[in-house]
Amino acid sequence: MESFTNRTPKFWTYLICSLFASVIISAAFVTNALRNTQYQSRYDHIYAEELNTLEKTKAELMQQALMTAQLVEKNRLVTELLVQASISYQNSALEQELRPIREQLHQIVTPYWQYLHQHGVKQLHFHLAPQAFTLYRAHKPEFHSDVLADVRPLVVEVLKTGQAFSGLEIGRNGLGLRAVVPMSQNNKVIAAIEVGYGLSGTLSSKQSSLPGKSSQNSGMAFIINKTLLEVLTDDQRAKFSAGSTLFWSTEDSALQETALLQHIPEKVNSSAFLSVQQDGRTFLLTLMPWPEFKQSGSEAGVVLVNWLDITSMQREKSRNDWILNIIWLIALLMGLASVYTISTKLQKSTARFMEHRQKELLWSEKKLRALFDLSPDSILLNRLSDGVYLEANPAMEKLTGYNFEELQQLSYFDLTPEAFAPQEQEQLRLLNETGRYGPYRKQYRHKNGHLVDIELRGVKFVSPSGEEMIWSTITDLTETLKLDRLKQDFISTVSHELRTPLTSINGSLDLLLSGAAGELPAKAEKLLGIAVKNNKRLIALVNDLLDMEKLSQGKLAFHAEFVSSSLLLHSALEHNQPFAQQHKVELKLGHVDDVLLHIDPARIQQVLANLISNAAKFSPQGSIVSVYSVLKPQVLRIAVADQGRGLTAEQISRLFQRFSQLDNGNNRETTGSGLGLAISRDIISQSNGQIGVDSEYGAGSTFWIELPLVDKAEQPILTKKILVVEDDADTAFTIQELLATNGYTADVAHTLEQAWLLLQQRTYDLITLDLNLNGESGSDFFLRLRDSSDYAHLPVLVISAYIHQGKLALNAIANTVDWLEKPVNSEVLCQKIEYLLSLGNSSGSASRILHVEDDEDIVSILKMQLEPIYHYHHAASLAEARLKLRTNQYDLVLLDIGLPDGEGWQLFPDLELLHGKVPVIIFSAQDISVNQRNQATAVFGKTKVQPSALVEHIAQMLNAGQP
């Protein structure tokens, strides 16, 4: 290959011209071969037609002879005379007896003979069986009474077989076609009638009737092997041309004139097709051997030949071939000239193009080299096989402290700590599978030993030498992480130091306005109203800014649960009704599809609140804001439609951008941060939904969100779960089936150890308990349940044969318990279970609340609202809270996270140890992670909820008696 790459452009020009010439010459040869094949096909077609003509002529001649003989045989008088003659001959009659019959036959046959003779019949004989005794010859009546059994095999064969035959015979009088038909009496052949045609005359008449055979350029004739001429008379032999060098002779003058006989081989064993040249002319000869009677084709001495002069066709072919060759030659010369010219021009154009591209490539290389050298990010080129550093920009030296020569001496893990080996393997797998890796973060070890935080990404490619290489870009994250920490510190500061006083201010103002400090003067009430309004506006702005930041970092927690869409919309309407009334807008709920959604209801309510509040703010007073749903395939659309001014296309294009605010156009004051729709967009996106708006300027707007429907396979099972504690397998199975039939889900424990294990792993709504468990005491198990704070109020249905003894032992502590004696009745079982479950749901709520909070303003506000209803205890630190937990039993804990001596999360182990599963509500200004949120019963931000709403939630939780 290297020898080809060093060739000059002129070499390639000559090579292309040679290839083009080869293609043209090959095409010419192929075309000529195809034309020759086409001509050969024409010859084959002519041969098939000519051979068919010969075979047809032969068949017609033989059929004609047979029909002539049969015509004579059909004459009744001839038949009668031959019968008489046969009888006389069989009786050895003398000549005198046969003469009258012969004379009568002569009188009858003579008219036939005269007619037939005019049409080519040369002989008409009547022979008597069995020795072929010649009774009468029509052409020579005087010659008769000779026996032909030894010299006329055709006649003898007919007399023996009784079948008509026709065949070729060569006799003294020339070439003849004989047809013999038998005449029978009483199924016995008694005579035969023979008709003989002279073939030369017959063939001439046949040839004249064939289309295209009357031309001097074609013809049909019989030829006879010269060895057979000896049997002919001198007169007959003189008619045939037989030169000393010829194997064949013919009496056809036209064939003799063509001198074609010299081209016919000595033996013609089968049909043949010859193309011969004679006197500058080309002939096609079709030969068909015609054997005599009972001869094979290879023994035939007579051949039926057809000749056709195709000189004009050959000359036309030669002329056309010459013209085509000239055309091919011209095409070759012109093509070579064109290829040479085009190739030369292309070479010059390519040379100019390559020169231009080389200049561009040099310029591009200079630009890329400048970018490479000036890039603030480090850029590395590694060989994939061994990780050797092949190239690095100056930023890499700044990042690691090593110059390029030093980098080349280092191994990969001299820079990368071993702790990152698993991550490196994963990135290598991605690189091999996708051709790319990263971005991912790790650390480099600096030359002076400290670790540098970096982010890498790279791509794999193959070099011209075939080696796999990796281009990598490395970003120094030192400053980025420092800024992130500063921003996080700032957010934490804003979250705690700003939210907490704002909550205190808001709560205090609400209490004052509600009359907690007595009746206020009208002017003071108005001023307080202004303060409340602007304080809430400030709280909303702070919340929006913090939510936007958490959304952008993916840190905003989502807690998906199965929610009814109907309840979701009714709740949204209820919560936003006051805001609509404030703006004198009527809020209506339209059509609602009740389907199941898997969402974070608090986040979706936040979105709906934003859409409804915007609709109320931007709608004229007295108008209607409609909230409705539309069920679509796979999604539920929730729409908020207003009757406002509508939006232009330009306004819609920037509607969901941060800090985007529109003029409502109705001279009413509209407040907001401009972040609501941007936050809503991100919340819906993280909920796997979509948000949008349909609006026409002057016709109002319809804002909508689309949320995915819950697949049936994912829908939660909302049935009650029951633990069946029963040692007898059959009884346990029966109870389990009865419960399943009535819509409950049941697990079975055959031992108390299994029962405790299931209680620790799963949550149950009720237990059915047998008191006698194969040596174990169900009563002790019941006592242990009631001693546990987790299961003290768990309903228990005792199913036993010993319920009287059980009642005596357990009645003193038997709260939320019922009894059912074996055997179990299905209807009674269900009644008992429903009764116990209703007791569990309506059990009285506890009212001892521990509030752990260090902000005195928050404590004052909540204490003022909680203390009149519940036993309110306050702890300002972790130490004080632990002391109160050890000395008191609480039904709910209200917990702040930021405390003087630690974080509120540190209190959870004490809560679990001393109070079991007591409900815990987090009420804090700090951000809560997903894992932390899962530890609490509920989480509320201090600026996210009004103190009065928090008190309502506490009441609902305690009244329900469950988290």
Side-chain angles (χ1 to χ4, degrees):
M1 290 299 295
E2 187 176 353
S3 59
F4 280 99
T5 57
N6 296 326
R7 296 292 183 176
T8 62
K10 186 172 290 187
F11 166 80
W12 293 109
T13 300
Y14 290 152
L15 179 60
I16 294 172
C17 290
S18 300
L19 292 174
F20 177 79
S22 301
V23 171
I24 294 297
I25 293 171
S26 299
F29 276 114
V30 170
T31 302
N32 288 336
L34 291 174
R35 285 177 52 77
N36 290 334
T37 302
Q38 183 180 10
Y39 272 100
Q40 185 60 45
S41 298
R42 285 184 65 184
Y43 294 155
D44 293 341
H45 180 67
I46 293 172
Y47 168 62
E49 286 187 339
E50 296 300 320
L51 183 60
N52 182 58
T53 300
L54 294 179
E55 291 176 344
K56 184 177 179 182
T57 300
K58 176 182 175 181
E60 288 178 352
L61 289 175
M62 295 177 68
Q63 185 66 22
Q64 180 180 349
L66 279 173
M67 291 178 64
T68 303
Q70 290 170 349
L71 177 65
V72 177
E73 186 261 341
K74 295 299 182 183
N75 190 295
R76 182 176 56 81
L77 296 175
V78 172
T79 302
E80 291 176 353
L81 290 173
L82 288 177
V83 170
Q84 293 177 18
S86 175
I87 295 172
S88 299
Y89 179 68
Q90 294 295 332
N91 293 331
S92 302
L94 299 176
E95 174 63 25
Q96 292 80 359
E97 298 179 7
L98 293 175
R99 185 179 297 116
I101 298 173
R102 189 177 293 115
E103 291 175 355
Q104 293 180 43
L105 187 62
H106 177 71
Q107 293 177 1
I108 296 170
V109 171
T110 297
Y112 281 99
W113 170 249
Q114 291 175 352
Y115 175 80
L116 295 174
H117 187 65
Q118 294 175 3
H119 291 81
V121 176
K122 302 299 183 183
Q123 296 172 337
L124 178 58
H125 296 174
F126 296 87
H127 305 285
L128 298 177
Q131 297 179 336
F133 174 80
T134 305
L135 176 65
Y136 176 73
R137 286 185 173 92
H139 68 293
K140 291 182 178 180
E142 66 276 11
F143 291 99
H144 55 77
S145 301
D146 48 341
V147 177
L148 305 177
D150 296 331
V151 295
R152 302 297 302 280
L154 178 60
V155 176
V156 174
E157 184 69 20
V158 173
L159 292 173
K160 284 182 179 181
T161 63
Q163 295 181 355
F165 284 103
S166 65
L168 193 66
E169 282 189 350
I170 299 176
R172 297 175 67 252
N173 294 316
L175 186 61
L177 179 61
R178 310 294 183 181
V180 182
V181 296
M183 192 178 72
S184 303
Q185 186 178 32
N186 298 327
N187 295 325
K188 182 179 179 182
V189 179
I190 60 172
I193 300 173
E194 178 184 7
V195 173
Y197 277 87
L199 283 180
S200 297
T202 304
L203 190 60
S204 298
S205 63
K206 282 288 180 185
Q207 180 178 345
S208 63
S209 66
L210 293 174
K213 296 303 180 183
S214 59
S215 173
Q216 296 180 353
N217 296 328
S218 61
M220 184 189 302
F222 283 102
I223 59 175
I224 302 175
N225 196 289
K226 69 178 184 178
T227 58
L228 300 179
L229 296 178
E230 298 174 357
V231 301
L232 303 179
T233 63
D234 293 339
D235 293 339
Q236 291 292 331
R237 193 182 302 118
K239 297 178 182 179
F240 288 88
S241 169
S244 59
T245 59
L246 300 179
F247 299 113
W248 301 88
S249 61
T250 181
E251 59 180 338
D252 189 283
S253 58
L255 183 58
Q256 291 175 1
E257 291 175 2
T258 60
L260 294 175
L261 294 177
Q262 61 182 324
H263 299 285
I264 300 176
E266 182 179 3
K267 293 288 185 181
V268 180
N269 298 327
S270 60
S271 299
F273 186 60
L274 303 177
S275 176
V276 298
Q277 300 287 335
Q278 182 64 39
D279 299 331
R281 300 165 67 190
T282 303
F283 292 89
L284 295 180
L285 299 181
T286 306
L287 307 176
M288 186 184 73
W290 194 340
E292 296 182 59
F293 180 71
K294 287 204 171 180
Q295 276 188 337
S296 63
S298 60
E299 300 173 335
V302 179
V303 175
L304 185 58
V305 61
N306 194 326
W307 72 93
L308 179 65
D309 187 350
I310 60 166
T311 304
S312 60
M313 187 170 70
Q314 281 292 99
R315 289 174 180 171
E316 181 184 2
K317 176 181 180 300
S318 299
R319 184 173 61 256
N320 290 340
D321 288 344
W322 184 83
I323 292 173
L324 283 175
N325 289 333
I326 292 298
I327 292 173
W328 281 115
L329 179 61
I330 293 173
L332 175 62
L333 295 176
M334 292 182 65
L336 286 173
S338 300
V339 169
Y340 181 84
T341 302
I342 293 172
S343 177
T344 304
K345 289 185 176 181
L346 281 176
Q347 289 174 17
K348 293 179 180 179
S349 175
T350 302
R352 289 194 298 271
F353 176 76
M354 291 301 296
E355 182 180 1
H356 177 68
R357 293 298 295 169
Q358 286 177 352
K359 290 180 180 178
E360 287 186 344
L361 185 61
L362 289 173
W363 171 238
S364 177
E365 185 179 355
K366 288 180 180 179
K367 290 190 293 183
L368 291 176
R369 173 56 64 178
L371 289 174
F372 181 78
D373 292 338
L374 296 175
S375 172
D377 287 342
S378 302
I379 303 176
L380 273 179
L381 177 63
N382 296 80
R383 189 162 50 223
L384 180 60
S385 59
D386 53 12
V388 170
Y389 298 107
L390 301 177
E391 200 164 350
N393 67 342
M396 188 65 184
E397 179 178 352
K398 181 180 179 182
L399 178 68
T400 62
Y402 295 101
N403 59 37
F404 181 63
E405 289 74 16
E406 292 173 326
L407 276 176
Q408 288 182 307
Q409 306 302 318
L410 298 177
S411 69
Y412 188 80
F413 283 104
D414 286 335
L415 284 181
T416 302
E418 292 287 345
F420 292 97
Q423 298 179 27
E424 292 290 329
Q425 291 300 318
E426 175 63 19
Q427 296 302 318
L428 182 60
R429 182 188 65 79
L430 289 175
L431 182 67
N432 289 323
E433 290 180 359
T434 66
R436 294 177 177 272
Y437 77 92
Y440 87 105
R441 295 186 176 188
K442 67 171 188 178
Q443 292 177 321
Y444 268 169
R445 185 179 289 108
H446 195 272
K447 186 176 182 180
N448 61 19
H450 74 272
L451 296 177
V452 182
D453 292 300
I454 60 170
E455 183 176 77
L456 296 94
R457 67 191 72 207
V459 62
K460 181 175 72 171
F461 67 98
V462 179
S463 70
S465 62
E467 289 185 298
E468 291 185 325
M469 304 289 181
I470 308 172
W471 269 120
S472 300
T473 60
I474 303 102
T475 303
D476 187 352
L477 298 179
T478 303
E479 294 300 323
T480 301
L481 293 178
K482 185 185 295 184
L483 289 174
D484 285 345
R485 285 191 293 270
L486 289 174
K487 183 167 64 173
Q488 189 61 41
D489 292 343
F490 172 75
I491 292 173
S492 298
T493 300
V494 170
S495 178
H496 187 269
E497 301 300 331
L498 190 57
R499 275 179 167 177
T500 299
L502 284 175
T503 303
S504 300
I505 294 170
N506 190 60
S508 300
L509 293 175
D510 281 344
L511 287 173
L512 287 174
L513 284 173
S514 64
E519 187 176 352
L520 298 174
K523 188 173 182 180
E525 186 173 351
K526 182 178 180 180
L527 292 173
L528 283 174
I530 295 172
V532 168
K533 179 179 177 181
N534 285 279
N535 186 68
K536 290 181 178 179
R537 183 177 178 181
L538 182 59
I539 290 173
L541 177 61
V542 171
N543 288 336
D544 284 349
L545 287 170
L546 295 176
D547 283 350
M548 197 72 247
E549 179 61 28
K550 286 186 283 186
L551 278 169
S552 65
Q553 296 181 0
K555 294 181 179 179
L556 190 65
F558 282 78
H559 301 279
E561 58 185 74
F562 293 99
V563 178
S564 164
S565 61
S566 177
L567 295 177
L568 182 74
L569 292 184
H570 280 88
S571 177
L573 207 73
E574 180 181 350
H575 291 160
N576 290 279
Q577 197 67 251
F579 189 85
Q581 293 172 355
Q582 178 184 342
H583 287 79
K584 299 181 181 179
V585 172
E586 184 178 357
L587 187 58
K588 282 190 175 181
L589 186 62
H591 173 75
V592 175
D593 296 283
D594 191 11
V595 295
L596 205 59
L597 303 173
H598 193 234
I599 56 173
D600 184 333
R603 297 301 177 195
I604 301 302
Q605 286 289 7
Q606 181 179 348
V607 174
L608 291 175
N610 180 265
L611 298 183
I612 294 173
S613 63
N614 284 344
K617 286 189 294 185
F618 288 89
S619 293
Q621 294 183 6
S623 63
I624 297 175
V625 173
S626 299
V627 181
Y628 60 91
S629 68
V630 179
L631 189 60
K632 292 186 171 186
Q634 309 300 325
V635 296
L636 178 73
R637 172 175 284 199
I638 299 174
V640 178
D642 63 48
Q643 297 175 345
R645 187 175 56 180
L647 301 169
T648 64
E650 188 274 334
Q651 289 174 324
I652 293 175
S653 66
R654 56 187 177 89
L655 195 60
F656 293 95
Q657 298 175 4
R658 296 184 183 185
F659 303 105
S660 175
Q661 288 186 312
L662 304 178
D663 179 22
N664 67 355
N666 56 11
N667 298 323
R668 285 196 295 161
E669 180 186 4
T670 57
T671 59
S673 63
L675 292 172
L677 287 177
I679 293 173
S680 297
R681 177 198 60 199
D682 290 346
I683 289 175
I684 294 300
S685 176
Q686 295 195 38
S687 299
N688 298 319
Q690 291 184 327
I691 186 171
V693 60
D694 299 324
S695 182
E696 183 179 348
Y697 190 74
S701 304
T702 299
F703 283 80
W704 51 264
I705 60 173
E706 288 182 348
L707 299 170
L709 300 178
V710 176
D711 187 76
K712 289 184 178 180
E714 299 176 0
Q715 291 187 7
I717 300 173
L718 302 177
T719 58
K720 297 291 185 179
K721 297 192 69 174
I722 297 175
L723 175 61
V724 178
V725 184
E726 174 61 61
D727 62 336
D728 184 76
D730 294 335
T731 304
F733 177 77
T734 302
I735 295 174
Q736 189 178 28
E737 288 298 309
L738 289 173
L739 293 173
T741 303
N742 288 277
Y744 299 105
T745 300
D747 293 331
V748 175
H750 295 295
T751 66
L752 296 181
E753 183 180 356
Q754 292 178 358
W756 277 114
L757 183 62
L758 287 171
L759 283 171
Q760 293 169 6
Q761 294 175 347
R762 304 174 187 177
T763 302
Y764 293 99
D765 300 289
L766 183 141
I767 295 177
T768 69
L769 176 64
D770 186 10
L771 295 179
N772 189 4
L773 294 163
N774 196 20
E776 295 182 293
S777 174
S779 299
D780 293 342
F781 178 76
F782 182 83
L783 294 173
R784 186 178 176 186
L785 282 174
R786 291 299 179 252
D787 288 339
S788 169
S789 59
D790 293 335
Y791 311 112
H793 300 287
L794 181 63
V796 176
L797 176 60
V798 178
I799 302 176
S800 176
Y802 308 99
I803 61 173
H804 295 295
Q805 296 89 326
K807 287 182 177 181
L808 292 174
L810 303 176
N811 259 343
I813 57 169
N815 64 308
T816 326
V817 66
D818 205 348
W819 312 85
L820 180 61
E821 191 170 12
K822 292 181 179 179
V824 177
N825 178 278
S826 174
E827 185 176 353
V828 177
L829 174 67
C830 292
Q831 291 176 353
K832 296 279 188 180
I833 289 176
E834 290 175 5
Y835 169 72
L836 286 172
L837 291 175
S838 66
L839 289 179
N841 291 333
S842 61
S843 59
S845 59
S847 58
R848 298 178 70 84
I849 298 175
L850 174 62
H851 185 194
V852 185
E853 172 64 65
D854 62 332
D855 188 280
E856 294 181 358
D857 295 333
I858 298 293
V859 172
S860 299
I861 294 170
L862 288 176
K863 182 178 180 180
M864 189 179 298
Q865 299 185 60
L866 292 174
E867 194 170 41
I869 309 171
Y870 307 106
H871 295 289
Y872 178 85
H873 293 194
H874 169 247
S877 64
L878 288 177
E880 187 178 351
R882 289 190 176 101
L883 178 61
K884 289 184 179 292
L885 286 172
R886 284 193 293 269
T887 57
N888 296 282
Q889 188 72 27
Y890 293 103
D891 298 290
L892 186 141
V893 176
L894 187 60
L895 179 63
D896 186 18
I897 298 302
L899 297 170
D901 54 346
E903 292 191 344
W905 303 113
Q906 298 172 254
L907 200 61
F908 273 84
D910 300 273
L911 286 169
E912 186 172 355
L913 177 64
L914 299 172
H915 289 262
K917 294 186 177 179
V918 64
V920 178
I921 296 177
I922 301 297
F923 187 55
S924 175
Q926 293 188 12
D927 292 332
I928 309 301
S929 69
V930 175
N931 292 334
Q932 292 171 337
R933 182 182 290 267
N934 291 335
Q935 298 181 53
T937 307
V939 177
F940 295 98
K942 285 186 175 178
T943 58
K944 295 284 188 177
V945 65
Q946 295 291 337
S948 56
L950 178 63
V951 172
E952 288 181 10
H953 189 85
I954 292 172
Q956 292 174 4
M957 186 175 294
L958 291 174
N959 290 334
Q962 55 184 4

